[in-house]
Amino acid sequence: MLVKTYAAALQGINAITVTVEIVVRKGMQFCIVGLADTAVKESQERVRAAISQSGFNLPRLSTVINLSPADVRKEGSAYDLPIAVGILVGSELIQAPEIDKYMIMGELSLDGSVLPVKGILPMAIEARARGFKGMIVPSANATEAAVVNRLEVYGVDNLKQVVDFLQGNTTIEPTIVDTRAEFAAAQNICDCDFSDVKGQENVKRAFEVACAGGHNILLIGPPGSGKSMMAKRLPSIMPPLTLGEALETTKIHSVAGKLRRGSRLMTVRPFRSPHHTVSPVAMVGGGSNPKPGEISLAHNGILFLDEFPEFPRTVLEVLRQPLEDRHISVSRAKYQVDYPAGFMLVASMNPCPCGYYTHPTKQCTCPPGAVSRYMNRISGPLLDRIDLHVEIMPVPFDELSAHASGESSSAIRERVMKAREIQARRYAGEPDIHCNAQITPRLQAQYCSLSPEALAILKKAMTKHDMSARAYDRILKVARTIADLEASDAILPHHISEAVNYRSLDRSSWGTVTPMTLG
């Protein structure tokens, strides 16, 4: 007897429908075909034990299972449940006339329990797109799948419950999530606030500019000056996620298995902070069972690299392409996947190996040439791709001990959102362009024209500090953002001056503690 159930396979962060074709006939063979990996092929023993523990006496018959399309790799244990249901129907132990109306996913324990699996959200999106009536998933994944509206999602705990539901012997209430209401209620929740930060007004200003335009930023300063503490507060001033961004971000974390049990839609921009011992594969994604890497987990959010020069050179250099293209293509012998990587890079570092090269009171103990060698751990092309270079100094005692609170994150975020609204209107007709950091040369020529006075300031800075053509583009984009924060249509000379000051760590200018002054 031929039976068809329906499941899904992940490709990148999306899913495709998989038809589980099961033929049960006389014989003793059990065979799974259709480019299945080891975890799928091992389902035989899990399925047999789960069926037995659920109260069914499975006859010894030949079972052939085909996972179609056969040229797409199937991975993981999520096919246990559709295979088990198909075998029960094919063996005529149960009747399930509406089995073709549901997509079924879940791992089986030996006692018949249904265990959670990864990637349920993109699978639910695929189920709705393919016109399925509903989806049967583990209870732990039900709220995640229910984020997709116009799809009935049934959370189940064991195989017996699935069988009773498909036979009509019991009813299961579909899981319902009011996605828009919950998203609106939770999107402004953030644990950290800039009101906790004492002093550091110049750094706060740089963060405001970076978030307003989506620019990459590098902090450089001695230990204990507050680099990490302030970087962790960046999500609190970034514009809230849109519903589309939240859905895309949640898909990535679902595929990577990073969502907690019972998770729903992500409402806060991700903040990823990998240790400097991270490998290139962990950073970009891939592996024997391909997963999104740190740069994709930071999509629509922040990738924070603390102790920037301590990262291996191979890890830092893989950032260059996604910083420009906002996606990463992982090509291996057996597969090729594309992951989104539209993140804002925030990095921090000490100015030298001992950390006190620019400290106002402590003496640097590094030998001659150590500072230059330390800075050379970061390649010039990568440094060029960072829009803002900000020097940070320790907070004086008087400011540190003051009782007055700093400006709140909500006040800064309001200005950031107003600047982003200006950019949204400006680039409304441009696909995939949402902020100044993403603009193309054509848009830059259109919206970043300079007056003769502003152009003279930029020319003086470019000549004095021997800046690259990429640095020129970055300065114009940052100046455009500073103008947007002031709601100015034109880029004025003081906008260019401030943008140039954020390039103080370019190779030829590094080593001056005081900021550049340009007439």
Side-chain angles (χ1 to χ4, degrees):
M1 180 178 180
L2 173 63
V3 178
K4 292 184 180 181
T5 59
Y6 295 92
L10 295 172
Q11 285 191 322
I13 64 167
N14 298 313
I16 64 169
T17 301
V18 171
T19 304
V20 183
E21 301 174 324
I22 301 171
V23 174
V24 180
R25 58 195 176 193
K26 291 182 180 181
M28 299 295 292
Q29 181 185 20
F30 190 100
C31 178
I32 298 179
V33 297
L35 210 57
D37 73 348
T38 303
V40 178
K41 292 180 178 179
E42 287 176 347
S43 66
Q44 174 183 356
E45 300 305 326
R46 293 193 298 270
V47 167
R48 287 190 180 277
I51 289 175
S52 176
Q53 292 297 317
S54 299
F56 298 97
N57 186 17
L58 189 64
R60 287 289 178 178
L61 296 171
S62 175
T63 304
V64 178
I65 301 166
N66 178 44
L67 305 177
S68 175
D71 60 344
V72 174
R73 186 172 176 81
K74 322 300 187 307
E75 299 171 338
S77 55
Y79 302 98
D80 290 359
L81 189 56
I83 289 174
V85 172
I87 290 175
L88 288 171
V89 175
S91 302
E92 299 183 349
L93 294 176
I94 66 171
Q95 299 292 324
E98 294 191 344
I99 194 172
D100 59 342
K101 295 182 179 179
Y102 298 95
M103 180 178 284
I104 305 172
M105 299 298 296
E107 177 185 340
L108 284 175
S109 178
L110 296 182
D111 64 357
S113 301
V114 181
L115 305 179
V117 296
K118 297 184 298 184
I120 282 294
L121 179 56
M123 294 174 185
I125 294 172
E126 172 69 7
R128 183 182 65 180
R130 294 296 180 182
F132 285 97
K133 176 183 178 182
M135 190 173 184
I136 299 174
V137 300
S139 294
N141 294 125
T143 53
E144 179 186 338
V147 166
V148 180
N149 54 19
R150 302 193 304 277
L151 179 72
E152 296 177 3
V153 176
Y154 299 95
V156 295
D157 297 310
N158 52 68
L159 178 59
K160 186 67 167 63
Q161 187 180 10
V162 177
V163 170
D164 289 340
F165 173 72
L166 290 174
Q167 291 193 115
N169 297 333
T170 186
T171 58
I172 302 175
E173 289 297 322
T175 303
I176 298 175
V177 174
D178 190 342
T179 304
R180 294 186 180 276
E182 293 193 5
F183 177 73
Q187 65 179 161
N188 292 321
I189 297 175
C190 195
D191 296 333
C192 303
D193 197 282
F194 268 97
S195 60
D196 303 327
V197 180
K198 303 293 182 66
Q200 304 292 13
E201 298 303 323
N202 63 318
V203 183
K204 293 179 186 177
R205 169 63 176 178
F207 277 161
E208 180 180 337
V209 172
C211 292
H215 303 289
N216 304 316
I217 184 170
L218 171 63
L219 304 176
I220 182 167
S225 52
K227 302 185 294 293
S228 301
M229 183 266 288
M230 285 190 285
K232 291 176 181 177
R233 282 159 173 74
L234 267 175
S236 67
I237 65 172
M238 292 190 73
L241 285 168
T242 65
L243 193 57
E245 288 175 333
L247 187 61
E248 185 179 29
T249 305
T250 308
K251 281 173 59 179
I252 297 170
H253 286 250
S254 175
V255 170
K258 300 296 184 182
L259 295 181
R260 293 193 298 261
R261 180 169 181 159
S263 295
R264 301 183 181 181
L265 205 62
M266 294 180 64
T267 56
V268 177
R269 292 187 182 273
F271 182 90
R272 302 295 301 182
S273 180
H275 193 259
H276 63 257
T277 57
V278 66
S279 69
V281 172
M283 183 66 80
V284 303
S288 56
N289 295 322
K291 292 182 180 178
E294 290 291 339
I295 60 175
S296 296
L297 292 171
H299 182 63
N300 291 323
I302 293 169
L303 178 66
F304 177 51
L305 302 184
D306 200 7
E307 304 298 340
F308 199 36
E310 302 299 331
F311 283 80
R313 187 68 171 256
T314 53
V315 172
L316 294 181
E317 292 308 301
V318 300
L319 296 174
R320 287 161 59 174
Q321 184 247 334
L323 281 173
E324 292 288 338
D325 299 339
R326 300 179 58 81
H327 72 88
I328 183 73
S329 297
V330 180
S331 299
R332 299 291 183 268
K334 295 183 178 180
Y335 64 82
Q336 179 176 344
V337 292
D338 289 328
Y339 293 123
F343 59 91
M344 181 175 138
L345 176 63
V346 180
S348 69
M349 61 179 288
N350 296 327
C352 65
C354 79
Y356 297 105
Y357 177 59
T358 57
H359 199 283
T361 59
K362 294 185 179 181
Q363 185 74 27
C364 175
T365 60
C366 296
V371 176
S372 177
R373 288 193 298 270
Y374 191 69
M375 284 298 297
N376 284 335
R377 294 183 184 181
I378 307 170
S379 69
L382 179 58
L383 196 63
D384 259 353
R385 286 170 167 82
I386 301 177
D387 305 340
L388 291 86
H389 310 156
V390 181
E391 294 186 71
I392 176 172
M393 294 296 160
V395 180
F397 177 79
D398 291 342
E399 291 186 25
L400 198 61
S401 60
H403 296 292
S405 298
E407 188 176 25
S408 68
S409 292
S410 59
I412 302 174
R413 175 186 259 191
E414 186 175 348
R415 295 195 296 270
V416 169
M417 290 176 62
K418 287 181 179 178
R420 284 290 184 104
E421 289 169 3
I422 292 173
Q423 295 166 48
R425 291 194 297 269
R426 179 186 299 138
Y427 309 127
E430 303 293 335
D432 301 323
I433 304 276
H434 308 290
C435 58
N436 290 327
Q438 302 170 1
I439 61 175
T440 61
R442 176 181 61 83
L443 294 175
Q444 181 177 300
Q446 183 176 352
Y447 295 112
C448 299
S449 57
L450 301 179
S451 65
E453 295 82 3
L455 193 61
I457 292 175
L458 182 55
K459 180 181 178 180
K460 181 179 179 180
M462 294 286 297
T463 304
K464 179 180 179 180
H465 301 289
D466 194 22
M467 295 180 180
S468 67
R470 183 178 283 114
Y472 171 84
D473 291 341
R474 303 284 172 172
I475 290 171
L476 287 181
K477 293 176 183 179
V478 172
R480 179 68 268 170
T481 298
I482 296 170
D484 289 340
L485 283 167
E486 296 182 4
S488 171
D489 292 333
I491 298 177
L492 303 177
H494 70 276
H495 300 150
I496 286 290
S497 295
E498 183 177 355
V500 168
N501 280 337
Y502 292 134
R503 302 296 302 185
S504 61
L505 297 187
D506 280 334
R507 294 300 185 190
S508 61
S509 63
W510 167 243
T512 56
V513 178
T514 55
M516 291 183 287
T517 55
L518 299 169

